[in-house]
Amino acid sequence: MALVVMFLFGSSYPIGKIGVNNISALVFVTLRVGIMAIVLLPFLRIETLKSKNFKYVIFFTIAMGFIVYPMIYLSLEYSVSTSGIIILMQCSIPTGVLMSAFFLKEKVSIQRWLMIGFVIVGVIIVGFDPLIIQEPLGMIFAIIGGLGYAFASLFSKYLEKENALNVNAWMAIITFPFIGILTLILEPDAINQIITIDQTTLIMAIYSGLVLSCVAQIGMFWLYRYYDVQKVLPLYSLFPIFGILLTIIILHEYLTDYIIIGSLIVISGNYILQKIK
């Protein structure tokens, strides 16, 4: 399950890059969330409104729908290097481990603290890559997105006993109208972009809304149901490997020395972080 989820998450970046090359990031997010809302609507449970966990559904929605989704695509839109964005998003892993220690009282050993620092060093190295630093907005959006993902992972753990389809249905249905309105305000030609969308971009949006949101994201919930956050988050060191490989194959991007060195530090650090008790 982890391999499937991480492969799909890794594919989200080159797929997203193709999408935002043809339409704006906010329009792409709107399409993705809209498709997700339509597909998951039949799984929505109204009685969830009365659940004591509904507040965590709202928190998860804010983190994933209003932070992670927009930041991912804005970072891709404002950056030349897709591989660099993938690695910068890995700041979600050490942040998520720290949050699990603070909020969920999961134990963090001294060795894990050291590896968290090691991973952060790798992220900083990638941030100094010329392709990244020349587009600071892309770097900022990626880091914010990574932090948002750490929060989303935390709230996923609180929702581990809830039906994953129901939670994600609520997230999509709550997010869609707000993102849609924001897109119309900030992108005056949003409707025209949607009307004139080309076939390739539409396929990318459908893949993102259906496969990534309705398969990978729900698979992530399944993992959190059976494992601690500190156990699941380090597995995310697999998705940058898939993401970078797919970026090279699909987008034909090359890796700079900064990205290679930073990637080795981040990925190896997260792998070791997983092994340390």
Side-chain angles (χ1 to χ4, degrees):
M1 176 64 78
L3 284 173
V4 171
V5 170
M6 298 316 150
F7 176 83
L8 293 177
F9 280 152
S11 71
S12 67
Y13 292 88
I15 293 299
K17 184 64 173 176
I18 294 173
V20 299
N21 281 341
N22 298 296
I23 59 176
S24 73
L26 290 178
V27 172
F28 193 85
V29 172
T30 302
L31 288 174
R32 174 176 177 173
V33 177
I35 292 167
M36 184 182 180
I38 292 171
V39 173
L40 294 182
L41 181 60
F43 301 97
L44 186 75
R45 296 178 179 176
I46 300 298
E47 60 268 24
T48 306
L49 285 168
K50 300 178 181 179
S51 170
K52 63 179 181 180
N53 283 334
F54 188 70
K55 61 179 179 295
Y56 295 118
V57 173
I58 297 298
F59 294 153
F60 174 77
T61 296
I62 294 171
M64 184 63 74
F66 294 99
I67 299 178
V68 177
Y69 282 178
M71 292 302 107
I72 286 177
Y73 296 112
L74 284 170
S75 65
L76 291 172
E77 182 177 15
Y78 284 91
S79 179
V80 176
S81 174
T82 304
S83 298
I85 294 301
I86 292 173
I87 298 301
L88 288 175
M89 286 288 293
Q90 294 303 290
C91 67
S92 64
I93 296 176
T95 304
V97 172
L98 293 176
M99 287 182 180
S100 70
F102 184 78
F103 292 103
L104 303 179
K105 308 304 179 183
E106 295 181 3
K107 185 178 179 181
V108 180
S109 64
I110 294 176
Q111 292 89 341
R112 281 199 159 194
W113 283 110
L114 292 174
M115 292 315 304
I116 288 172
F118 186 63
V119 171
I120 292 174
V121 169
V123 171
I124 292 172
I125 290 174
V126 172
F128 279 99
D129 178 81
L131 295 177
I132 296 293
I133 204 168
Q134 71 180 0
E135 297 287 354
L137 271 179
M139 179 171 62
I140 292 170
F141 288 142
I143 292 173
I144 295 174
L147 296 177
Y149 206 94
F151 277 105
S153 299
L154 174 68
F155 298 132
S156 296
K157 186 61 179 177
Y158 282 110
L159 295 167
E160 62 182 1
K161 295 182 180 180
E162 298 291 331
N163 182 282
L165 291 169
N166 176 49
V167 171
N168 282 276
W170 275 108
M171 188 274 287
I173 290 167
I174 293 172
T175 301
F176 178 68
F178 290 100
I179 287 293
I181 292 171
L182 180 64
T183 299
L184 290 175
I185 293 173
L186 299 180
E187 298 285 347
D189 65 335
I191 295 178
N192 182 62
Q193 289 185 51
I194 295 174
I195 293 174
T196 59
I197 191 171
D198 62 274
Q199 185 178 20
T200 299
T201 306
L202 180 60
I203 292 173
M204 299 301 103
I206 293 173
Y207 176 87
S208 299
L210 185 61
V211 179
L212 296 178
S213 296
C214 300
V215 177
Q217 198 163 300
I218 290 169
M220 177 194 71
F221 265 82
W222 184 88
L223 291 171
Y224 284 124
R225 173 171 292 184
Y226 295 101
Y227 302 99
D228 289 340
V229 171
Q230 292 188 46
K231 188 67 175 178
V232 176
L233 270 178
L235 292 174
Y236 281 60
S237 60
L238 295 171
F239 99 67
I241 296 176
F242 290 128
I244 291 173
L245 288 175
L246 290 171
T247 295
I248 294 171
I249 294 170
I250 297 174
L251 301 179
H252 307 292
E253 287 188 8
Y254 69 92
L255 303 180
T256 65
D257 293 339
Y258 285 92
I259 292 177
I260 292 173
I261 295 171
S263 298
L264 289 173
I265 292 174
V266 171
I267 294 172
S268 62
N270 284 327
Y271 176 79
I272 297 171
L273 189 60
Q274 175 192 5
K275 296 298 182 180
I276 298 174
K277 301 297 182 181

